[in-house]
Amino acid sequence: MTSPARRSTSPSPRPTSPAQRATSAARPGSPEQSGAIVAVDVGGTTVKGMVRVGEVVLDRVVVPTLGPVDHADAVGGPALAAVTAVVDRLAAAATAAGNPLAAIGLCTPGVVDAETGTVLVAVNLDWHDLPLAALLRDRYGVPVAVAHDARAAATAEIAARTAAGRDVTEMVFIPIGTGVSASLVVDGRLVVGAAGGAGEVGHVCVRPGGEQCTCGQRGCVEVYASARNIRRRYREGGGTIDGATDEIVAAVDTDPVAAAVWDDAVDALAAGIAILSAVLDPAVVVVGGGLGESGERLLAPLRTAVDARLGWRPAPRIEQSLAGSGAGLAGAALLARTAAGSSPAETAPAAATAPAAATTPAPPAATAPAAGQDPTS
């Protein structure tokens, strides 16, 4: 990442992604939209949703991502069926409260063309070239914005850190849940990449010939460091805890299997962060998502491992997310609020000229985990 002394003095480009425009829309003075907005965070384990009018949350819902569907060959399969089930319930709650549905904001893993709202590929969801925004817009008749989950979460993190007076100029934000991804912030702006796939650190190979990843490669960061794979590797290793990832993490001091799996997770994540650091030179790496809630149990050994891998060069600061495990849903709410100002024919919000770093925190109601969810999913 470019140091302040080397930065160009040319005018900054306009933000081009919905996630950037959603962050810009969080600035003071942006018009509040009437009607209800629905925010949806699609994960590999659960789909979480929230409906709100202004700052009032009317309802929340969490459903399994890959539950049964009536027709196995239905467009989008089980994951899209879960999304529509969530939106159906939340839209009904809004209608019952006398508030029409105004817009939907959705974040999803995978490679996302945010301008068209198309998920090019999401291996954990079995989505390929899925025109998600168009499908939802046709079904509900309201504007829909779709963004990559890590970048949507980063909008909430940027807002929270800016409000707290924390650095967001050169940052890598890594939410860890069912998968592992990253948002890259350069000169205060989110980097999307040529094909919308910037930041897929979860699918960087750190152990050549290692365990099989869902992406088809072997030895990816995600195979060892995601919440789902920590649970899988623990059980395959003979572990006896039949619970969520945070229960396994809590047992690392007394359970040898948990300790071994945790060491592998930290090492793989450190390898990925070291690669990002060597290439991008961020000032800070922020760890979020459900696993980020582990705090210093994760961050302390991670700092040591990253520092050892970088050797001669200084390591970036490694900090816990301020937005918390609900950052994805908070970012989706910002997307929806921005989309509510666009015409029904648009799949993404209208462009703004403000920089990506927001000056107000993400709405508190949007950052809280949905009731009953596993924070690591």
Side-chain angles (χ1 to χ4, degrees), residues 226-265:
S226 74
R228 177 174 63 182
N229 282 304
I230 288 173
R231 291 195 299 270
R232 173 188 62 80
R233 299 188 75 244
Y234 174 77
R235 288 161 189 166
E236 289 177 355
T240 58
I241 296 174
D242 186 20
T245 305
D246 56 355
E247 296 178 51
I248 298 170
V249 174
V252 297
D253 293 331
T254 57
D255 185 331
V257 178
V261 170
W262 187 241
D263 287 346
D264 283 345

Side-chain angles (χ1 to χ4, degrees), residues 11 25-27 29 35 52 57 112 153 174 196 199 204 217 219 269 342 362 367:
R27 290 178 171 277
R52 53 189 285 183
V57 176
V112 180
I174 305 179
V204 170
Q217 301 181 107
L269 187 58
S342 65
T367 59

Side-chain angles (χ1 to χ4, degrees), residues 79-155:
L80 183 55
V83 169
T84 56
V86 166
V87 180
D88 285 349
R89 170 172 159 177
L90 296 176
T95 300
N99 300 107
L101 182 62
I104 299 168
L106 182 145
C107 63
T108 172
V111 179
V112 180
D113 181 343
E115 290 306 310
T116 65
T118 301
V119 181
L120 304 179
V121 59
V123 293
N124 291 333
L125 306 177
D126 196 26
W127 284 352
H128 302 274
D129 296 317
L130 183 72
L132 185 56
L135 291 169
L136 295 179
R137 189 177 64 247
D138 290 347
R139 182 182 178 96
Y140 298 102
V142 297
V144 178
V146 174
H148 185 275
D149 55 356
R151 285 190 283 275
T155 64

